[in-house]
Amino acid sequence: MTDTNAALIDVLADRAGTYALLARFFRTEADGEFLAQLRSSRYPARTGVPAADRGYRLIVSYLSHAPADALTELAIDYTRTFIGAGNDGFSAAYPFESVYTSPKRLMMQDARDEVLMLYRAAGLEKRESQKEGEDHLAFELEFMEILVERSIEALRKGDEELAVSYLLQQRNFLADHLCRWYPMMAEDIEKFARTAFYRGAGSLTAGFLASDREFLDDLLAD
């Protein structure tokens, strides 16, 4: 393995870890294990991406001043922010691409069918325990994590052509899906979330997705 590929693998591994972290924020409400993981993590003081830096600051601030009933507070805020109490597509920051890309803000629309085809083309099948539509934000973030892990494995095997194909898939998925609709959801998170924890998660995700798309554009241009 060349030194260049070894260095790239380290960068890609950090990206995979970040995608896994972001997916956990949105998959379900925070539990004790997740909060313990966050408290034991180290966070960058400055990434150069304002939205990401704001996100880290908000999350760290919440963890530093979390109330005794933090899990209850976060469960309530998760429900308020991502599930809502209304019957229309404007009552929460619904974590589904279809809501933000369909005219009537409905779930299970064209975006769901599109990502489902991409998952199947990648050899991924729906888990039996999975109740949400395939265009849920957590699943799209996990898909990126899987593609990153596959590019790492290809580099470890010395197959640079295959690694590039996975990197291209990542860039295209960001451009066609996550970066196309998530910024609108991020605005809704700011509107509906009451805790710094979820406002931080929303801002961190927005900053990371935008910077990751730039990273892939530059990497593939080289």
Side-chain angles (χ1 to χ4, degrees):
M1 183 186 301
T2 66
D3 290 343
T4 299
N5 283 354
L8 179 56
I9 285 173
D10 288 341
V11 173
L12 297 180
D14 286 342
R15 291 178 60 234
T18 302
Y19 274 111
L21 170 67
L22 298 179
R24 177 60 189 87
F25 275 112
F26 300 104
R27 186 184 307 116
T28 186
E29 62 265 23
D31 57 17
E33 181 181 356
F34 185 44
L35 289 189
Q37 173 194 338
L38 292 173
R39 287 191 173 106
S40 65
S41 298
R42 298 181 64 181
Y43 301 95
R46 183 174 291 108
T47 66
V49 181
D53 290 342
R54 174 178 179 266
Y56 281 126
R57 286 196 303 271
L58 287 171
I59 293 167
V60 170
S61 176
Y62 182 85
L63 294 173
S64 299
H65 304 92
D69 62 344
L71 291 180
T72 299
E73 180 179 68
L74 291 176
I76 292 171
D77 201 35
Y78 183 92
T79 299
R80 175 195 297 116
T81 306
F82 304 116
I83 299 175
N87 295 318
D88 57 61
F90 299 90
S91 301
Y94 297 107
F96 297 93
E97 182 176 352
S98 290
V99 171
Y100 290 95
T101 56
S102 63
K104 296 184 179 180
R105 289 176 68 100
L106 301 174
M107 292 189 289
M108 306 295 281
Q109 301 300 301
D110 290 347
R112 177 261 181 183
D113 297 337
E114 292 170 8
V115 298
L116 177 58
M117 287 191 294
L118 291 173
Y119 298 164
R120 287 177 173 170
L124 303 175
E125 295 296 333
K126 188 171 184 176
R127 297 187 292 266
E128 290 185 7
S129 60
Q130 179 181 324
K131 301 294 192 297
E132 298 85 358
E134 287 81 359
D135 60 338
H136 190 286
L137 175 60
F139 299 148
E140 294 198 3
L141 293 168
E142 288 172 354
F143 182 54
M144 285 293 294
E145 178 193 358
I146 289 168
L147 293 178
V148 177
E149 293 287 1
R150 289 181 178 181
S151 61
I152 291 172
E153 185 63 24
L155 285 173
R156 285 176 174 157
K157 293 179 178 178
D159 194 337
E160 294 186 3
E161 184 176 348
L162 181 59
V164 169
S165 73
Y166 285 129
L167 292 168
L168 283 168
Q169 289 180 53
Q170 293 162 44
R171 184 184 67 179
N172 292 341
F173 192 76
L174 279 174
D176 297 341
H177 294 282
L178 281 164
C179 287
R180 179 173 166 234
W181 72 274
Y182 179 76
M184 293 181 284
M185 181 183 166
E187 292 180 2
D188 280 345
I189 293 174
E190 286 291 326
K191 183 191 305 181
F192 292 105
R194 295 292 179 270
T195 62
F197 185 86
Y198 282 116
R199 290 199 305 275
S203 186
L204 172 59
T205 303
F208 176 75
L209 292 178
S211 64
D212 198 46
R213 182 177 178 180
E214 291 183 6
F215 164 77
L216 288 169
D217 284 341
D218 293 342
L219 180 64
L220 290 166
D222 292 338

